[in-house]
Amino acid sequence: MTCEIVQSKLTAYVDHQLPQDEWQQIHAHVPTCAHCREIVIGLQSTTVELDHYFQAVIAPFGFEDEVTQSLNDIRQARHMNRLMRFSSFVIPGIAEIRTYSYFDHT
């Protein structure tokens, strides 16, 4: 396997997301290639840092439910706002049509 092919698969290699045979080929290549080994070390370091960061961020109990409810409340308020704006134009128009029609036929 060439370095170019190996480098295109190093993220999947570090994440153990390759088929076993590909993983083994890359695993055999990395110790023999300083550049690929350097990339793997960088990817592993980044993975460890990200794992540490995401473990440190834990939402409190019920947080997801509160966010979902807040989003639903916002959606409902926007919907009601649209209805109110729409009705402020439509209802007076209907009243004018009814008044106009009533006086036309009397």
Side-chain angles (χ1 to χ4, degrees):
M1 220 182 256
T2 66
C3 283
E4 188 176 318
I5 293 172
V6 168
Q7 289 171 10
S8 71
K9 298 179 181 207
L10 286 178
T11 300
Y13 168 75
V14 169
D15 293 339
H16 299 280
Q17 295 180 342
L18 290 174
Q20 187 65 28
D21 60 329
E22 281 186 72
W23 190 90
Q24 287 175 340
Q25 289 175 358
I26 293 172
H27 190 70
H29 172 84
V30 169
T32 66
C33 177
H35 185 66
C36 289
R37 187 171 52 249
E38 192 175 309
I39 293 171
V40 167
I41 290 169
L43 289 170
Q44 288 171 333
S45 174
T46 301
T47 300
V48 168
E49 288 177 29
L50 288 172
D51 285 347
H52 176 72
Y53 173 77
F54 285 116
Q55 287 176 0
V57 178
I58 299 173
F61 180 77
F63 178 76
E64 184 178 345
D65 293 335
E66 288 179 28
V67 169
T68 301
Q69 184 60 49
S70 293
L71 290 173
N72 288 337
D73 292 346
I74 290 169
R75 285 186 196 114
Q76 186 176 9
R78 285 183 180 165
H79 179 70
M80 292 302 295
N81 190 8
R82 286 186 196 119
L83 286 176
M84 294 300 289
R85 284 188 304 200
F86 177 75
S87 65
S88 69
F89 292 110
V90 172
I91 292 173
I94 291 172
E96 284 182 37
I97 292 170
R98 285 186 175 179
T99 303
Y100 180 76
S101 297
Y102 176 76
F103 288 116
D104 278 351
H105 300 302
T106 56

